Amino acid sequence: MQFNTFVSSLNDLKRCANSPKLQEVLLEPTLLARQGKLSQEELLLLASTAVEFGLRPILVWDILMPEKVMNRICEQLTQWDMSNFEAVRVCDPGAAWWLKTHYPTIALQFVVETGNHNLEALRGWCEIFSDSLERLILSIELPEQKLIEYCQTLPIGCEVLGVGQILLFYSPRSLLSPHLLDSESKEKVRLQTTVSSEDSNNRSFPTLETVHGTFMFLDKDQFILDKLDRLQEAGLHTVCLDLRHLGKDADVAVDVEQICSQILTDPISLRKNWPRPTRSPFFNANRTTSIFSRMKSKHKLIQYRQEVGLAEVLAGESGNYVVFQSLRSFAVSQVEKIIVPTGEEIDIPEDIVFRNLNGEVIESCDREQILITDWIKKAMPGSLLLGKNGE
């Protein structure tokens, strides 16, 4: 298992050359890379210097392009000396096919981070790009067991993000500045800020805009550097260390040599001392599809509320009380169960007692009356009180 990382300066290359197990450097030209900052001259200088340092220079071409843009870029690339690069890292299938056709001897590293998560699709890409394909960069949305399966099954090497930012949102439009993408100069124009919304006003998400669009990231870093043992045993080829957001001045691989050393010696301490909060949201299990059942339950709750719901939970304090608001007039003897927003149904305790705001025990209530009971486990705001046989 080896490491790779992004570089943008000679200082970065020197650090990488002194980093254990780090064998590749990822070079991002402004023309081709979403977060690219390098001019063609800087790119070629870093590529040749990387070879002198015993490192593999990898050209990053990770933008997605309409046909008109791709044709323009490909025309420019025919003027480049592509022999300066050991491989090209691509995200757009059209770019990958163009490279396979025009530069069949250059190895391809195909980025499948945002799709193609099933094994058959990944095998399909291996067949399509056949001899040119060197590696697949897999999604962080794959749990550990799937990553292990794919590393053991796929006929080529696999790579996964070990540490770095988690992309939440991307748009090819300029959302921070209305004119940034209109720039014909392709200068190193970058805007960085944090944004929040009404739903998350207590959290600020790092946001970056380049000439290729706007990117919003989670306020916590992906981090699995302390969980690599089983992946290494399964044959994982490469772990990417994306340190770009921790860069200083022109450097984007700051402290990479210490990080690589700690991965090998004390990854737990490395995580504890990481400069940003960390998480690995999909590594144990990907539960993103669990929302489907909740969406179905929400529709069911709306129907119940309109037709047979007796009361709705407004609030509660665990272990103390639950507050209801009645939706219609009903007798307490009608009450049977509660359905919570997840769709789970909860039986009502036989000794349940309903009280009004004066603390008086009641046997029946009117519409829109506030009711209070002792705590009912799992009852949460939005839950509905249902009657016997849908009464």
Side-chain angles (χ1 to χ4, degrees):
M1 185 177 68
Q2 67 169 14
F3 304 132
N4 64 18
T5 195
F6 296 87
V7 299
S8 63
S9 69
L10 293 175
N11 287 332
D12 284 339
L13 286 179
K14 292 175 183 177
R15 296 187 189 97
C16 292
N18 294 321
S19 301
K21 297 285 186 178
L22 198 154
Q23 299 175 16
E24 291 181 345
V25 289
L26 308 177
L27 305 173
E28 298 180 290
T30 303
L31 177 66
L32 305 176
R34 296 185 297 183
Q35 297 189 46
K37 297 189 293 184
L38 300 174
S39 66
Q40 182 179 347
E41 293 74 18
E42 293 169 327
L43 176 74
L44 296 178
L45 173 61
L46 291 176
S48 60
T49 306
V51 173
E52 294 175 5
F53 286 167
L55 300 166
R56 296 185 76 217
I58 310 299
L59 176 64
V60 177
W61 184 5
D62 63 357
I63 58 173
L64 298 173
M65 304 152 288
E67 184 175 2
K68 182 178 179 180
V69 173
M70 181 174 166
N71 289 338
R72 174 175 55 81
I73 288 177
C74 291
E75 184 177 349
Q76 294 183 57
L77 287 182
T78 57
Q79 309 301 315
W80 289 24
D81 183 0
M82 299 295 284
S83 64
N84 287 282
F85 310 103
E86 294 286 336
V88 183
R89 197 178 188 89
V90 288
C91 185
D92 192 312
W97 187 255
W98 184 85
L99 286 166
K100 175 180 171 59
T101 303
H102 293 81
Y103 297 95
T105 60
I106 294 183
L108 295 179
Q109 297 181 0
F110 193 38
V111 180
V112 288
E113 292 177 325
T114 55
N116 305 287
H117 295 173
N118 64 80
L119 186 57
E120 289 307 309
L122 298 176
R123 281 175 168 158
W125 290 123
C126 293
E127 293 176 7
I128 290 171
F129 296 118
S130 58
D131 296 339
S132 295
L133 191 60
E134 174 183 86
R135 189 181 311 154
L136 290 175
I137 293 87
L138 301 177
S139 170
I140 66 169
E141 296 177 17
L142 296 172
E144 180 184 30
Q145 197 54 48
K146 281 294 181 184
L147 290 172
I148 289 173
E149 177 188 352
Y150 292 177
C151 289
Q152 293 175 335
T153 305
L154 291 169
I156 60 169
C158 295
E159 177 182 323
V160 69
L161 179 66
V163 66
Q165 287 183 297
I166 298 174
L167 182 65
L168 294 178
F169 168 83
Y170 164 71
S171 171
R173 297 178 296 160
S174 289
L175 300 181
L176 301 181
S177 170
H179 304 296
L180 185 58
L181 295 189
D182 296 333
S183 174
E184 294 295 333
S185 63
K186 297 296 181 184
E187 296 176 355
K188 301 175 186 178
V189 181
R190 297 163 65 88
L191 300 177
Q192 290 180 276
T193 186
T194 57
V195 301
S196 60
S197 67
E198 293 181 359
D199 296 330
S200 60
N201 54 19
N202 62 328
R203 299 179 69 177
S204 296
F205 299 106
T207 303
L208 168 69
E209 184 172 311
T210 73
V211 293
H212 297 298
T214 307
F215 308 83
M216 185 172 73
F217 301 94
L218 189 67
D219 54 352
K220 297 180 181 180
D221 285 355
Q222 163 79 354
F223 193 107
I224 60 168
L225 300 179
D226 55 340
K227 304 174 183 178
L228 296 177
D229 290 345
R230 293 186 65 206
L231 294 178
Q232 183 173 5
E233 291 174 3
L236 179 67
H237 186 275
T238 305
V239 176
C240 182
L241 312 176
D242 186 351
L243 310 175
R244 289 174 292 181
H245 61 302
L246 304 177
K248 298 178 182 177
D249 300 324
D251 300 341
V252 295
V254 177
D255 298 328
V256 68
E257 62 268 63
Q258 289 92 340
I259 292 170
C260 289
S261 296
Q262 273 199 275
I263 295 171
L264 302 175
T265 58
D266 191 5
I268 295 177
S269 294
L270 179 62
R271 181 166 197 160
K272 289 180 179 178
N273 297 315
W274 196 252
R276 282 169 44 90
T278 61
R279 64 175 305 185
S280 47
F282 307 104
F283 194 71
N284 292 326
N286 187 330
R287 299 185 179 89
T288 52
T289 55
S290 64
I291 192 65
F292 296 158
S293 62
R294 296 193 179 192
M295 291 168 67
K296 293 177 182 178
S297 298
K298 185 176 181 181
H299 176 75
K300 189 176 181 181
L301 283 172
I302 293 173
Q303 183 178 1
Y304 275 153
R305 192 179 194 281
Q306 294 172 342
E307 299 177 0
V308 296
L310 302 180
E312 181 178 1
V313 176
L314 297 183
E317 183 175 334
S318 179
N320 293 315
Y321 61 83
V322 178
V323 179
F324 294 85
Q325 182 180 29
S326 60
L327 301 174
R328 52 184 49 85
S329 300
F330 67 91
V332 172
S333 59
Q334 294 177 249
V335 171
E336 181 181 39
K337 59 188 176 182
I338 289 177
I339 182 169
V340 300
T342 61
E344 182 181 358
E345 295 184 355
I346 304 169
D347 291 332
I348 293 290
E350 293 182 1
D351 58 348
I352 189 74
V353 174
F354 286 83
R355 301 178 185 274
N356 59 25
L357 288 176
N358 295 323
E360 300 167 341
V361 177
I362 61 171
E363 297 299 329
S364 63
C365 71
D366 298 324
R367 185 174 181 272
E368 295 188 350
Q369 185 173 343
I370 299 299
L371 310 171
I372 302 173
T373 71
D374 290 335
W375 173 247
I376 302 172
K377 187 176 181 181
K378 296 186 179 181
M380 63 185 74
S383 302
L384 291 180
L385 187 66
L386 302 180
K388 296 176 182 178
N389 299 321
E391 295 179 0

